[in-house]
Amino acid sequence: MPAEVLSYFLKNHDRRLRLAFQVVLQCAPFLKGLKVSCVISMNAALYRELEELLRETGIAYHRLSCSEGKCLVLFYRPDPLESYLRSPKIRRLIRDYGYGGMSLEQMLGRLCSRTDDFARRGMGFPHEIGAFLGYPADDVKGFIENEGRKYLMIGYWKVYGDLAKARMIFKEYDRAKDCAVNEFITGKSIREIVV
């Protein structure tokens, strides 16, 4: 995509248009149904615009942290995310971080608390956030055990496990991004772009 197009939308004076484009650009694989969730850092003043932007899409959102005029927001579809978090490998992994025996809302509350705490202490993100973003359990575990180093490949996340599968997924995500951004540029709303 040409830099001029990105610049036009990201610097546009229409705040709602900028927010919609940011969501499409950064969340395309999620919007197209390829991921269970996604996270973006957005202008805190625009957070209230999300309700209208996502109305009738089936997408929920949860503010994970907010400081210095920026919010970190998780977008998700409740049933697929809950199902993913209850898969055996992921459930075992997140249980070690205190997420055992919780409802989805309780897990999101804990993730929010931990994310906010990590941000306040300048520690980045709690490592288990990868599980909430639908990353493969082996890659989340590999990231934690290797402290973000010794990965096989970096793309939408750092890969420690199945390299061939990750490459295939990354290509699908790239296609989804091209598709969603092109749909947005031609005038489709997020409601029309969402699968």
Side-chain angles (χ1 to χ4, degrees):
M1 170 181 328
E4 298 83 22
V5 172
L6 287 172
S7 180
Y8 169 77
F9 282 106
L10 293 175
K11 293 182 180 178
N12 196 291
H13 293 292
D14 182 338
R15 295 168 13 139
R16 288 182 179 162
L17 180 68
R18 268 196 331 265
L19 176 61
F21 184 70
Q22 180 185 5
V23 169
V24 168
L25 181 66
Q26 295 179 336
C27 299
F30 165 72
L31 297 175
K32 291 299 186 181
L34 300 176
K35 291 187 75 202
V36 296
S37 65
C38 66
V39 68
I40 67 170
S41 176
M42 60 179 283
N43 185 317
L46 295 176
Y47 182 77
R48 292 183 184 188
E49 304 288 338
L50 290 175
E51 184 177 346
E52 174 60 29
L53 184 69
L54 300 173
R55 184 172 285 135
E56 299 174 16
T57 62
I59 295 172
Y61 57 94
H62 196 94
R63 183 172 45 207
L64 297 178
S65 67
C66 205
S67 66
E68 298 178 17
K70 292 286 186 185
C71 286
L72 188 67
V73 180
L74 177 76
F75 297 91
Y76 62 100
R77 291 178 181 91
D79 291 341
L81 179 58
E82 185 166 21
S83 178
Y84 185 77
L85 293 172
R86 299 225 183 277
S87 66
K89 279 184 159 183
I90 292 294
R91 189 176 57 232
R92 278 192 302 274
L93 189 139
I94 64 175
R95 186 178 46 224
D96 292 342
Y97 293 92
Y99 296 90
M102 296 179 164
S103 68
L104 178 60
E105 281 305 312
Q106 290 170 319
M107 285 190 273
L108 292 176
R110 175 153 177 76
L111 179 63
C112 179
S113 174
R114 285 182 50 80
T115 302
D116 195 44
D117 182 51
F118 272 59
R120 274 196 321 274
R121 297 187 326 184
M123 296 172 54
F125 303 104
H127 296 314
E128 73 272 13
I129 197 169
F132 287 84
L133 294 173
Y135 300 165
D138 292 340
D139 293 337
V140 176
K141 189 175 178 184
F143 181 88
I144 293 168
E145 290 173 353
N146 292 285
E147 298 176 338
R149 297 184 295 266
K150 299 181 186 174
Y151 48 87
L152 301 173
M153 178 183 157
I154 189 168
Y156 286 85
W157 66 82
K158 290 183 178 179
V159 178
Y160 293 86
D162 191 336
L163 188 58
K165 185 175 181 181
R167 282 188 175 125
M168 189 174 65
I169 290 170
F170 293 169
K171 284 180 184 178
E172 287 179 40
Y173 287 5
D174 287 342
R175 284 192 294 272
K177 184 183 285 188
D178 289 344
C179 178
V181 168
N182 286 332
E183 288 175 332
F184 186 81
I185 289 170
T186 60
K188 286 190 175 184
S189 70
I190 287 188
R191 287 178 200 72
E192 294 169 308
I193 293 169
V194 167
V195 170

